[in-house]
Amino acid sequence: MTCPQCHSNHVTKNGFNRLKKQLYKCQDCGRQFVLHPAKGPVSQETRELIDRLLLEKISLAGIARAVKVSEAWLQNYVNEKYKKVPRQVALKKTTPYGVILECDELWSFVGKRLNKQWIWLAMDRLTRRIVGVHVGDRTERSAQALWDSIPAQYQTSAPVYTDFWSAYARIIPAHRHYPSAKSQGETNHIERFNGTLRQRISRLVRKSLAFSKNQENHLGALWNFIHHYNATMCV
């Protein structure tokens, strides 16, 4: 008998697993294993399928059932994946002339409804790209954080359309800020994107058991979708 990881034959028995199968441990590399495991390593093809399913409105439990992996393995995979997702927009250099921004906020929560996490977003109306993101409370401090996340080429010249939430007026330069009612249609695109988020990210659905339990995964799921959206869904 040899270790499946380092192929050492310095292997000893090490108790039993929950299925009452004999466990073995390699004394050289520390790998613990069973003989003839019922399940092997998750293939790259399955991992790529999981990556695509994470962009759809499917809970982690649903994905685990669909691709036939354990929920524990899937949760660990998602944790590691979301840790690596960049937390800022990656935009190609664009001309600042003729751009228009639309901004809006989206309510969400982590763990319990009292732990509100407002998602602040800024969109380039022409390209439909998300150019600014912040997740926090609904105060002036978060409005400032959204503004700070927007590239300088937009901050210096773009007119900005928002709703009438007072925090915007205290942050956005007055001569370029245009508060607008929904009936005017000036924030239609960013509001439609908010609907897309709720339709595509299960943890953002208003009434669902698939809500976020962990702040980092909440951010990771959001940023993962935004990067995908900016790369593949913009005009």
Side-chain angles (χ1 to χ4, degrees), residues 89-130:
V89 290
L91 299 175
K92 296 179 181 178
K93 187 175 182 180
T94 60
T95 173
Y97 303 107
V99 296
I100 298 173
L101 290 183
E102 297 179 21
C103 298
D104 199 18
E105 328 87 61
L106 176 74
W107 176 82
S108 66
F109 70 96
V110 173
K112 56 184 178 180
R113 290 181 177 273
L114 293 177
N115 184 19
K116 298 177 181 179
Q117 299 294 313
W118 287 89
I119 301 170
W120 296 69
L121 299 164
M123 173 182 278
D124 181 329
R125 180 184 290 180
L126 177 62
T127 66
R128 305 287 197 273
R129 292 182 302 180
I130 299 301

Side-chain angles (χ1 to χ4, degrees), residues 116-198:
K116 298 177 181 179
Q117 299 294 313
W118 287 89
I119 301 170
W120 296 69
L121 299 164
M123 173 182 278
D124 181 329
R125 180 184 290 180
L126 177 62
T127 66
R128 305 287 197 273
R129 292 182 302 180
I130 299 301
V131 298
V133 182
H134 175 68
V135 180
D137 55 22
R138 211 184 181 199
T139 65
E140 181 179 338
R141 178 179 58 185
S142 288
Q144 182 67 61
L146 172 67
W147 186 250
D148 292 342
S149 73
I150 298 171
Q153 66 232 45
Y154 293 97
Q155 289 185 357
T156 56
S157 62
V160 185
Y161 290 89
T162 72
D163 57 22
F164 285 96
W165 186 243
S166 59
Y168 288 117
R170 294 193 289 269
I171 300 300
I172 301 171
H175 65 286
R176 290 192 285 109
H177 181 214
Y178 300 92
S180 304
K182 287 188 177 182
S183 59
Q184 295 178 273
E186 296 292 357
T187 56
N188 277 359
H189 303 99
I190 187 62
E191 289 171 10
R192 178 64 185 85
F193 180 75
N194 286 347
T196 297
L197 287 179
R198 292 207 189 277

Side-chain angles (χ1 to χ4, degrees), residues 1-12 24-29 31 33-35:
M1 182 191 307
T2 60
C3 171
Q5 180 165 293
C6 70
H7 306 294
S8 167
N9 59 8
H10 190 195
V11 172
T12 60
Y24 298 90
K25 184 175 183 180
C26 176
Q27 298 302 305
D28 290 332
C29 72
R31 171 72 180 269
F33 62 95
V34 298
L35 293 179

Side-chain angles (χ1 to χ4, degrees), residues 59-77:
S59 67
L60 292 187
I63 293 174
R65 289 191 297 269
V67 302
K68 299 181 180 180
V69 298
S70 72
E71 289 189 36
W73 180 91
L74 179 61
Q75 186 65 69
N76 289 333
Y77 177 77

